[in-house]
Amino acid sequence: MKQGFDCSGLVVFTHAKIGIHVPRTAKAQYKSKNPVLTTDILPADLVFFTIPGKNKNIHVGIYVGENQFVHAPGRGRKVMLASLENPYFQHHFIGAGNFLDIKKCR
C-alpha cells in the first residue's frame, strides 16, 4: 500500500495545521473555494487543473509565488515544486481560489 499524500490530502493537511477545514477531494475543494482571479493569485492560494482522461477529476496545488506551486503528484510520490508556466499545467489550468477569511487576509 502506498503511503503519503495525494494532492487534495496535502491541502487538507496544510490547512488543518492552521485551523481551516477544507473538503477532502480536489473536486469538492474546487467547487467550494473562494474564487481568485488568475491575475490576483497570491501565496497560499490553491491552483486547480483538470486531469485528462480521469472522469473529469481535478488536481490541486498550493501557490507559493513567482509562478510556482507545491503539489503531491500522487499518493506515494514525493511532494514537489512545479511551475504554472509548464505547458502541461498551462493547458489544464481551470482556476484558483482559497479557503481563507479574505477580510482578514487580503
Side-chain angles (χ1 to χ4, degrees):
M1 181 174 152
K2 292 183 179 180
Q3 295 181 342
F5 292 115
D6 63 4
C7 65
S8 60
L10 177 64
V11 171
V12 169
F13 177 80
T14 56
H15 282 66
K17 289 289 186 185
I18 58 172
I20 298 174
H21 173 78
V22 298
R24 174 61 189 97
T25 68
K27 189 179 283 188
Q29 291 169 4
Y30 180 72
K31 288 180 180 180
S32 60
K33 71 189 178 327
N34 298 314
V36 172
L37 295 174
T38 304
T39 55
D40 295 336
I41 300 172
L42 295 174
D45 285 339
L46 304 177
V47 288
F48 295 90
F49 310 88
T50 58
I51 301 174
K54 294 271 190 167
N55 300 321
K56 297 188 180 182
N57 281 340
I58 294 176
H59 183 65
V60 62
I62 304 168
Y63 187 72
V64 295
E66 298 183 14
N67 285 324
Q68 303 286 307
F69 65 99
V70 173
H71 70 121
R75 187 171 287 129
R77 295 178 62 195
K78 290 183 180 184
V79 171
M80 61 189 308
L81 190 64
S83 174
L84 288 175
E85 295 173 349
N86 176 306
Y88 176 86
F89 289 115
Q90 282 183 340
H91 181 71
H92 295 287
F93 180 80
I94 56 171
N98 63 51
F99 291 92
L100 306 173
D101 184 341
I102 295 170
K103 292 176 187 169
K104 291 181 181 178
C105 298
R106 303 220 168 193

